[in-house]
Amino acid sequence: MSVMADLTPTPDRPGLHISKPSPNAPATGSAVCHCGASATATGDAQVKALVEGYTANHGPAHRNGGTRR
Ligand SMILES: [Zn+2]
């Protein structure tokens, strides 16, 4: 059993989750949007891109009329 599972977004609980276990470990991220899109990333740069892409196109962006896919 993993505690991480409680923090990982799912279609029932959409959202963005970023984890960085230690300063020397690469960050990992996962995102699930209520529109059905999901993505994961590993590494600081890729996680940053994941966050930027999610916030620009998914999550709150849907409520701003950002419906581009
Ligand atoms: Zn979406």
Side-chain angles (χ1 to χ4, degrees), residues 1-36:
M1 292 303 161
S2 169
V3 176
M4 293 282 292
D6 293 333
L7 299 173
T8 302
T10 68
D12 288 337
R13 287 172 163 266
L16 188 61
H17 175 64
I18 306 300
S19 175
K20 191 169 173 68
S22 79
N24 294 325
T28 60
S30 60
V32 177
C33 184
H34 60 81
C35 77

Side-chain angles (χ1 to χ4, degrees), residues 32-38 54 57-62 66 68-69:
V32 177
C33 184
H34 60 81
C35 77
S38 65
Y54 180 85
N57 299 302
H58 294 287
H62 284 300
R68 63 196 161 107
R69 310 172 50 173

